[in-house]
Amino acid sequence: MTQGGISYFGIRHHGPGSAESLVKALQELQPVAVLIEGPTDASPLLPLLASPDMKPPVALLCYPEDDPAATSFWPFAEFSPEYQAALWAVANKAALRFIDLPSAARLAEMAPDNPADADAAEADGTAPGEEISPVHDPIGMLARAAGYEDGESWWSDVIEQNPEPGPIFAAIAEAMTTLRHGEASIGKFEAMREAHMRLEIAAARKEFDGPLAVVCGAWHVPALQAAHTQKSDQALLKGIGRRKTTMTFAPWTGPRLALGYGYGAGVLAPGWCKHLWQARGQDDASVLWLARIAAVLRARGHMISTASLIEAERLARALAAIRERPKPGFEELRDASIAALFNGEALLWKMVEAELLLGADVGEIPPDTPLAPLIDDLQRNQKAARLKPEALERELSVDLRSESGLFRSTLLHRLNVLGVNWGKLTDTGRSRGTFRERWMLAWQPEYAVRLVENLVYGPTIEKAANGRLIQMIGAAPTLDTLATLVQGAITAALSEASAAGLAALEEKAAHSSECLELLASVPPLADIIRYGEARKTETERLAGLLERLIIEGSIALPYAARDLDAQAAGALMGAMRKADEAIRLVEPDEHVLEAWRNGLAAVLDSSRSTALVAGCAAHLLYEAGLLSAEAAADLLGMRLSPGTPIADAAAFFERFFSGAGQRLIYDEGLRGAVDAWLALLDEEAFVAHLPLLRRVFSNLDSMERRRLIEAVLGKRASLPAGLTPVPDGGEAWRRHFSLLGKLFAGEAANG
């Protein structure tokens, strides 16, 4: 809509139909200047959008120099009208600038003391980076007036997929004028935005001779055309924020343009919008979309016939006609695909929905673009570490005894804290000493986006990692989770997070009596102490806390082991084994070690201890040399006696010999107890527990199995009192041989 040599184009942010209509209108108008809704102080960066090295989606990023964590983003996609307007202006040598409030004013509006004005952000006229107000929804109002359930579908039919848009911008302006007529006063911040844009348009009118094009959210058009005095607009802007800010571009991703990702000015399906833009001017856009669906499904091994695709396309057109839509939208194509391609299975569509509707695009920015602080800091650290980001995987071995190795390790650990998994730790060095790490490096372009997202925690890698970990520590629900976070903080040399984590750990430990949490927190803290020398870590405070956790866990263990179901018993056993390994590695004071062993012995002595947990406790005591072979044989004889329920006996047996089946080859007393128990089982009970028994011996190789068979069949075992040995010869030996054959899945028979 043109007024006084100025043409106003009300658009839908990230609307491909709006972008197509806008490019046509600009080509027809040939304006000398293109004025776009956006932070006016970012105008010098606008021509960068037309750089051949700029590949959307990208985002204009703004942060105050005194507080880089307070960051705003203005995303642009290939199908964004603002992006296409910038491309047209650069290609046609028209002046190009933003006209909205400077970014400093928006940063002030984002402060916690301005919640009311923050709600005043308009709906479809929302600038990139803003939230949609639940109260202001002009497109929704128009949609409901036209009989639609939601504004997204209405806008798609009228604007994005309308084959004959005609004077569409004039119609949009008229509709918005009607909606805003008689409206109550808008929020102060929105009034300031529109006043600022009017002043910028007036200044451009004086500066340029020729037609001007104003590209803005549709909601703003009536306000920008309305008559306001310059004095009244300037009065509205009195006291506007003047913080010094920094602006740059950063890579963005397709999914982050979606409404479902919390982006208020986003669209429902960025992948579909990109498809509409790339298929503009073609009559077979729906056919191309179905072909893309078929390609994705075929790549995943599903057979999709051409006949099914033809039927899906016919069904989509029929659905569009029934729903009185001008063309099939992605909803009709989705429903038709489920019916014709997926045999009515909506679950199959869910498997490909994100790939199709959201996409996986990651933008790129020109190398000469001024960088965001975290990306800039990363590049400085990469140069200092002499690590070049590469897309292909490569292995990196790090020696923590050298300054360069420790620096590299610290950098990679800090990036992992930020979710930037450039390096994945594949070997923590346990098998080659405490001073080595092995990493697998592979750089992904979306890591730049994650760094930008972490600006809320700080402007440097170290500060951001500290900030993020401190937040995670504050939200840690359990003691073991907290211990793992503290381990990560110390490993990454994050002093602030380490101090906060240790304080939180001590406080939570003082109030925790949950045995599983206490035991699960021991291994990460033990690792810190064990590798403290390599990372120059002060471990005295940590050592005292670890001893306290071991003692408290030992006291709680006998009570925690009572009357558990299989799942709870499995979790407790895993924690016991890992805690025992950690305790043996750090070699604590004798009184701490004695407390742990007393806790294991109490589990074994209690009649209420779950058999699985009791078997695990017996195993740990036996491995520590605190249970002699004779005592272990007596214990097995009692636990595997006929008076013990078979399920409990089998559970105790499994846990006691878990990972230690070789002992039966050489320990005659243990072998005799097991031999007698197996022989006393009837056929049905033996077969029922055969999978469990085979698991126990699964770690034995073929030669070890043969030796065990020879040990059992070659001579009689010395059995503990109360158990009757299997008699030599005759039917008993044949049955015994048969049981062993089943136990070792044919090893005996083949021998």
Side-chain angles (χ1 to χ4, degrees), residues 164 285 333 345 469:
E164 299 294 337
L333 291 165
E345 294 290 341
L469 256 185

Side-chain angles (χ1 to χ4, degrees), residues 143 264 481:
T481 302

Side-chain angles (χ1 to χ4, degrees), residues 362-408:
V362 179
E364 298 179 14
I365 56 176
D368 56 346
T369 304
L371 297 175
L374 272 178
I375 300 175
D376 194 28
D377 187 55
L378 173 62
Q379 292 192 352
R380 286 195 298 268
N381 279 278
Q382 286 171 333
K383 290 179 181 178
R386 288 179 294 177
L387 289 176
K388 183 180 179 182
E390 299 174 3
L392 297 179
E393 285 189 346
R394 75 178 182 93
E395 193 176 49
L396 174 70
S397 181
V398 171
D399 188 340
L400 300 177
R401 293 170 293 186
S402 68
E403 289 188 12
S404 62
L406 185 59
F407 183 82
R408 288 178 169 186

Side-chain angles (χ1 to χ4, degrees), residues 520-575:
S521 64
V522 169
L525 299 185
D527 271 352
I528 298 170
I529 292 175
R530 186 188 180 202
Y531 298 109
E533 183 181 351
R535 297 191 177 276
K536 303 176 177 60
T537 305
E538 292 292 337
T539 59
E540 291 183 6
R541 179 182 178 187
L542 205 58
L545 177 59
L546 178 62
E547 290 184 352
R548 176 177 155 192
L549 291 171
I550 293 172
I551 292 173
E552 291 181 2
S554 303
I555 295 171
L557 181 58
Y559 303 96
R562 295 177 177 178
D563 307 322
L564 302 177
D565 59 24
Q567 183 176 359
L572 183 58
M573 282 188 302

Side-chain angles (χ1 to χ4, degrees), residues 639-651 653 673-690 692-693 723-724 726 735-736 739 742-743:
R639 290 281 184 170
L640 305 181
S641 65
T644 304
I646 292 176
D648 288 348
F653 176 82
V674 174
D675 187 26
W677 176 63
L678 288 175
L680 290 172
L681 294 177
D682 59 39
E683 188 75 13
E684 183 179 352
F686 183 85
V687 171
H689 291 91
L690 195 55
L692 179 149
L693 298 172
L723 287 180
T724 304
V726 178
R735 177 174 177 272
H736 201 109
L739 293 178
K742 292 177 181 177
L743 180 61

Side-chain angles (χ1 to χ4, degrees), residues 487-714:
Q487 180 188 24
I490 293 178
T491 303
L494 300 171
S495 57
E496 295 175 18
S498 298
L502 283 172
L505 195 59
E506 290 173 334
E507 181 181 356
K508 190 173 280 290
H511 298 92
S512 178
S513 59
E514 175 60 42
C515 180
L516 190 60
E517 284 188 27
L518 291 166
L519 295 184
S521 64
V522 169
L525 299 185
D527 271 352
I528 298 170
I529 292 175
R530 186 188 180 202
Y531 298 109
E533 183 181 351
R535 297 191 177 276
K536 303 176 177 60
T537 305
E538 292 292 337
T539 59
E540 291 183 6
R541 179 182 178 187
L542 205 58
L545 177 59
L546 178 62
E547 290 184 352
R548 176 177 155 192
L549 291 171
I550 293 172
I551 292 173
E552 291 181 2
S554 303
I555 295 171
L557 181 58
Y559 303 96
R562 295 177 177 178
D563 307 322
L564 302 177
D565 59 24
Q567 183 176 359
L572 183 58
M573 282 188 302
M576 288 169 61
R577 296 176 73 92
K578 290 179 181 178
D580 184 77
E581 180 183 359
I583 291 168
R584 285 188 281 109
L585 286 175
V586 297
E587 299 179 346
D589 291 344
E590 188 60 33
H591 75 281
V592 178
L593 195 56
E594 184 179 0
W596 171 242
R597 291 168 176 173
N598 288 341
L600 293 175
V603 171
L604 194 56
D605 293 340
S606 174
S607 60
R608 291 185 58 186
S609 295
T610 304
L612 283 168
V613 182
C616 180
H619 172 85
L620 296 178
L621 289 170
Y622 187 74
E623 291 293 324
L626 299 175
L627 196 64
S628 66
E630 293 77 11
D634 289 340
L635 177 65
L636 282 171
M638 178 181 66
R639 290 281 184 170
L640 305 181
S641 65
T644 304
I646 292 176
D648 288 348
F652 186 90
F653 176 82
E654 178 187 13
R655 284 303 101 193
F656 186 85
F657 287 106
S658 178
Q662 297 92 334
R663 287 192 175 277
L664 287 173
I665 301 174
Y666 312 106
D667 195 320
E668 190 173 346
L670 292 181
R671 189 172 64 246
V674 174
D675 187 26
W677 176 63
L678 288 175
L680 290 172
L681 294 177
D682 59 39
E683 188 75 13
E684 183 179 352
F686 183 85
V687 171
H689 291 91
L690 195 55
L692 179 149
L693 298 172
R694 282 180 175 170
R695 275 204 309 273
V696 171
F697 297 102
S698 62
N699 63 319
L700 299 181
D701 60 28
S702 177
M703 182 59 68
E704 288 171 330
R705 294 183 183 186
R706 187 179 299 275
R707 287 178 180 174
L708 180 55
I709 292 172
E710 290 174 353
V712 173
L713 299 181

Side-chain angles (χ1 to χ4, degrees), residues 48-49 51-61 76 247-252 362-372 375-376 379 445 448-449 452:
L48 275 174
L49 287 173
S51 168
D53 296 322
M54 183 74 79
K55 298 179 181 179
V58 295
L60 181 65
L61 179 151
F76 297 90
M247 311 288 290
T248 185
F249 281 105
W252 210 245
V362 179
E364 298 179 14
I365 56 176
D368 56 346
T369 304
L371 297 175
I375 300 175
D376 194 28
Q379 292 192 352
V449 178
V452 170

